Amino acid sequence: MKTSAEQVVDLLRAAGESTRLRVLALLATEELSVLELCRILDQSQPRVSRHLKLLAEAGLVERFPDGAWVFYRLALKSPGRVLIDQALSLIDADDATVRADAEKLTLVRAERTAGAQAYFARNAARWNEIRSLYVDEAEVEDAILKAAGEGPFDEMVDLGAGSGRMLTLFGRRAGAALGLDLSQQMLNIARDEVAKAGLARCELRHGDIFATGLPGGCADLVTVHQVLHYLGDPAAAVAEAARLVAAGGLLLIADFAPHEHEFLREVHQHRRLGFADVEILPWIEAAGLVPDSNIALPPTSAEGLTVKIWTARRPAVKSAERSAA
């Protein structure tokens, strides 16, 4: 997208300040809350908010409230994105300030992960019970099965396998299945559930949803069930999940619609309070998938949460294209 000379000057002016450039460098890594940026930059909230306001007005970052928190990320479609990427590429990787910011970001991530892991360790055995407090699991699982279709699926990958429910749900429809999770406690629970279900061709593995190490296009069904709301960079997780989807294969994401139950963040380590279509669908499309079904399951009580199920497919390779290859 071409911009006028005056617009370019405005973009340069917005980015041309040391703290704002540091903010852009941090947001190029992942979306962050205002409080996290304050910790990393070691600056007051009013000062950081002022810098963020200027960057948002210039269209360089996007602001999105999430319950009582506010998050920021680099604007995906900003005309200044190319300029920012080029500017950040010029910074020496050994720059002392940028390196210090990266180290503080690592500490913030480590604290975030430690809190989540401690929560999972405390609640692993009651995980399905905890989930059932918010939604009707039988209804959700029936909708998930219908959205995915009858299969059969040659290879299934479940990212953030948790207690293994997606693996046992689809186990009979999959020739082979792999579940990845960072929590050893959850993997132990999942192994027990898979064994009880008699699923011999189902493997549980310690793995990172952001960097699975799996080959691209390795599965014709990839599931991400009630995982995104725990993550610091859900868009990156969607991109990695989509990368694993084979031609003609399906990605299935289940999570909550936006809500205001702040206690889930305070007590249950939820980082994001649900996701709207305007977030999820662009992430799916940016990963080269075509949105398929979009299902909303409203709660049965005022205290409940709406569950959303999104599916998307990677276009199948046409016969002529396959022959040419």
Side-chain angles (χ1 to χ4, degrees):
M1 180 187 299
K2 297 293 185 181
T3 58
S4 68
E6 184 175 349
Q7 287 175 309
V8 172
V9 170
D10 289 339
L11 292 171
L12 290 169
R13 185 179 293 116
E17 194 276 339
S18 59
T19 297
R20 292 198 286 276
L21 191 61
R22 291 168 65 192
V23 168
L24 292 170
L26 288 164
L27 296 182
T29 304
E30 66 179 77
E31 63 184 35
L32 293 166
S33 71
V34 176
L35 292 179
E36 287 171 333
L37 285 168
C38 290
R39 287 186 57 195
I40 295 167
L41 298 170
D42 194 24
Q43 295 184 15
S44 68
Q45 183 171 340
R47 184 174 180 182
V48 171
S49 295
R50 172 62 178 164
H51 287 303
L52 290 167
K53 181 175 184 292
L54 292 173
L55 291 170
E57 288 174 346
L60 295 176
V61 304
E62 296 174 342
R63 175 187 187 275
F64 55 104
D66 188 71
W69 288 24
V70 177
F71 289 89
Y72 284 84
R73 60 184 169 220
L74 290 189
L76 291 175
K77 298 181 179 180
S78 168
R81 184 59 186 266
V82 173
L83 183 151
I84 295 306
D85 290 341
Q86 290 177 339
L88 294 178
S89 70
L90 295 174
I91 300 175
D92 189 333
D94 291 327
D95 179 87
T97 300
V98 172
R99 190 171 65 247
D101 286 348
E103 290 171 355
K104 290 181 180 178
L105 175 58
T106 298
L107 291 176
V108 167
R109 285 174 177 159
E111 291 177 6
R112 191 192 303 157
T113 300
Q117 292 296 330
Y119 168 75
F120 292 142
R122 290 194 305 270
N123 295 284
R126 297 190 303 117
W127 191 244
N128 287 326
E129 174 191 348
I130 293 171
R131 280 202 331 231
S132 70
L133 296 174
Y134 313 134
V135 295
D136 183 337
E137 284 298 313
E139 182 181 356
V140 172
E141 291 174 0
D142 183 60
I144 286 173
L145 288 172
K146 290 179 180 177
E150 290 297 323
F153 305 102
D154 292 333
E155 300 282 344
M156 172 194 177
V157 173
D158 183 32
L159 299 180
S163 63
R165 187 56 191 141
M166 290 298 100
L167 296 172
T168 57
L169 191 65
F170 284 102
R172 303 298 178 191
R173 302 187 186 190
L178 170 65
L180 298 182
D181 204 290
L182 278 175
S183 169
Q184 292 290 358
Q185 288 84 0
M186 298 306 292
L187 287 171
N188 289 336
I189 295 293
R191 288 189 181 97
D192 288 343
E193 294 298 320
V194 165
K196 285 190 289 186
L199 300 174
R201 298 197 62 192
C202 185
E203 178 184 358
L204 277 301
R205 188 186 303 172
H206 187 264
D208 187 346
I209 193 172
F210 296 111
T212 63
L214 300 174
C218 64
D220 48 355
L221 174 63
V222 178
T223 55
V224 185
H225 177 252
Q226 297 293 8
V227 175
L228 294 184
H229 56 253
Y230 291 109
L231 305 180
D233 193 354
V238 171
E240 176 65 0
R243 185 185 67 81
L244 305 180
V245 178
L250 184 77
L251 170 65
L252 186 149
I253 299 171
D255 217 291
F256 297 125
H259 61 86
E260 297 181 354
H261 293 282
E262 194 69 36
F263 77 94
L264 290 178
R265 180 143 50 208
E266 298 168 353
V267 179
H268 294 294
Q269 298 297 314
H270 289 205
R271 178 170 171 82
R272 294 288 304 278
L273 301 185
F275 299 90
D277 292 345
V278 293
E279 277 192 293
I280 296 290
L281 295 181
W283 295 342
I284 287 172
E285 292 169 345
L289 304 188
V290 178
D292 188 8
S293 61
N294 187 336
I295 301 165
L297 301 174
T300 56
S301 68
E303 293 77 25
L305 303 170
T306 294
V307 171
K308 290 282 295 188
I309 302 168
W310 299 272
T311 63
R313 293 191 179 275
R314 185 171 299 284
V317 178
K318 296 179 181 178
S319 299
E321 295 175 349
R322 196 159 40 233
S323 299

